[in-house]
């Protein structure tokens, strides 16, 4: 997990200890583990995406990129979101980048995640009540986008507060929000909401642990975790989820 203000990345181990992984990380954020086992992240201040090896060696992946979140495929491709310009970018396995969505229908795109089989891209909207779903074409382009996952909204605000999104191996979608972690079935319906650990804003979430059966969230400068009866997925091994329920 990252501390952009301190320019550091930390690692929480299975032994419950936190150790410094990378110092002078140039404000790194949006951490994702790639199919090659390297840790990918965005460096907004330097407008680039980089990756780190197990020993902390740094490699530049893409430059002139403003990336607020990343999604990595098993083929070494990256989709990234630029919240300020409201578009989704794409970096192919050779490092060539282009914009694949700039429609403007999403008022505040904040986060994204691949479906377990990496056939779809989910884009969270921090403003409205819908997260979007796109099909991914063979060349990485996004097609057939639609507002699909319907979030429950807070009574006192018109902002959904979605800032992080991920999926599990069953195809369920987990999104942070102003009212907690909302869980969606593949048909787009919210079926349950996990309470926030504190009264603040959950800024990100991810599955982790040896069996990917812990869900971690960051909130208010703290890292929280809880065990769950499901498993996350990795970029290296796409998973075919069960057929959606009606």
């Amino acid at each position: 997990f990252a501390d952009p203000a301190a320019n550091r990345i930390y690692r929480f181990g299975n032994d419950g200890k936190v150790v410094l992984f990378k110092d002078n990380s140039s404000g790194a954020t949006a951490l994702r583990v790639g199919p090659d086992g390297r840790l990918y992240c965005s460096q907004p201040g330097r407008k680039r995406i980089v990756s780190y090896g197990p020993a902390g060696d740094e490699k530049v992946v893409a430059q002139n990129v403003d990336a607020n979140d990343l999604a990595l495929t098993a083929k070494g491709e990256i989709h990234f979101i630029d919240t300020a310009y409201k578009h989704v970018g794409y970096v192919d396995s050779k490092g060539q980048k282009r914009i694949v969505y700039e429609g403007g229908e999403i008022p505040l795109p904040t986060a994204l995640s691949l479906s377990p089989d990496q056939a779809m891209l989910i884009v969270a909207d921090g403003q409205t009540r819908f997260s979007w779903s796109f099909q991914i074409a063979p060349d990485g382009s996004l097609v057939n986008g639609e507002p699909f996952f319907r979030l429950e909204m807070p009574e006192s605000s018109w902002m959904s507060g979605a800032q992080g999104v991920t999926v599990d191996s069953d195809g369920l979608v987990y999104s942070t929000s102003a009212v907690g972690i909302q869980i969606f079935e593949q048909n787009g319906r919210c079926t349950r909401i996990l309470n926030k650990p504190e009264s603040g804003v959950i800024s990100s979430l991810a599955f982790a642990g040896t069996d990917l059966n812990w869900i971690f969230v960051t909130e208010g400068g703290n890292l929280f975790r809880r065990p769950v009866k499901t498993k996350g997925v990795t970029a290296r091994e796409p998973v075919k989820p069960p057929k959606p329920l009606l």
Side-chain angles (χ1 to χ4, degrees):
F1 61 97
D3 183 350
N7 292 320
R8 290 179 173 178
I9 299 174
Y10 295 92
R11 182 177 65 239
F12 180 91
N14 290 326
D15 58 2
K17 296 181 180 179
V18 175
V19 298
L20 179 65
F21 171 74
K22 182 67 178 180
D23 202 0
N24 299 319
S25 62
S26 299
T29 185
L31 308 186
R32 301 283 187 178
V33 177
D36 53 2
R38 294 178 67 87
L39 180 66
Y40 288 71
C41 67
S42 170
Q43 293 179 339
R46 304 185 71 175
K47 295 185 180 297
R48 65 184 193 177
I49 297 172
V50 302
S51 69
Y52 295 109
D57 56 293
E58 184 179 276
K59 176 183 177 182
V60 177
V61 178
Q63 300 192 70
N64 298 318
V65 170
D66 281 321
N68 295 91
D69 200 5
L70 310 173
L72 287 71
T73 74
K75 298 178 181 179
E77 304 158 333
I78 303 173
H79 285 89
F80 65 90
I81 200 163
D82 185 332
T83 300
Y85 287 94
K86 302 181 181 180
H87 66 229
V88 178
Y90 170 75
V91 182
D92 66 20
S93 58
K94 298 180 180 179
Q96 301 298 311
K97 64 180 185 294
R98 70 180 194 274
I99 304 302
V100 291
Y101 170 80
E102 52 183 344
E105 294 95 342
I106 308 176
L108 189 63
T110 51
L112 44 76
S113 178
L114 294 166
S115 61
D117 57 3
Q118 300 185 1
M120 311 289 289
L121 186 73
I122 303 155
V123 180
D125 182 3
Q127 180 170 315
T128 71
R129 71 182 320 137
F130 284 100
S131 291
W132 281 58
S133 176
F134 294 88
Q135 289 179 306
I136 303 176
D139 66 350
S141 299
L142 303 182
V143 297
N144 301 323
E146 61 176 321
F148 191 77
F149 299 98
R150 186 180 186 276
L151 284 83
E152 297 297 320
M153 298 289 283
E155 295 182 358
S156 59
S157 173
W158 52 275
M159 301 286 287
S160 70
Q163 294 191 28
V165 62
T166 191
V167 299
D168 68 14
S169 57
D170 292 325
L172 298 181
V173 175
Y174 298 71
S175 175
T176 67
S177 75
V179 298
I181 300 173
Q182 302 194 32
I183 305 175
F184 303 88
E185 294 180 343
Q186 294 183 63
N187 58 18
R189 180 180 58 190
C190 178
T191 59
R192 67 210 78 162
I193 300 175
L194 303 180
N195 291 331
K196 295 186 290 184
E198 294 182 344
S199 60
V201 177
I202 302 176
S203 55
S204 62
L205 79 169
F207 285 95
T210 303
D211 296 320
L212 298 176
N213 59 352
W214 289 81
I215 192 165
F216 286 75
V217 301
T218 53
E219 180 182 1
N222 296 316
L223 179 70
F224 298 89
R225 67 169 180 166
R226 64 178 291 171
V228 289
K229 297 179 180 180
T230 185
K231 290 186 177 182
V233 294
T234 66
R236 182 187 296 112
E237 299 178 353
V239 175
K240 185 69 174 178
K243 292 183 178 181
L245 300 174
L246 298 178

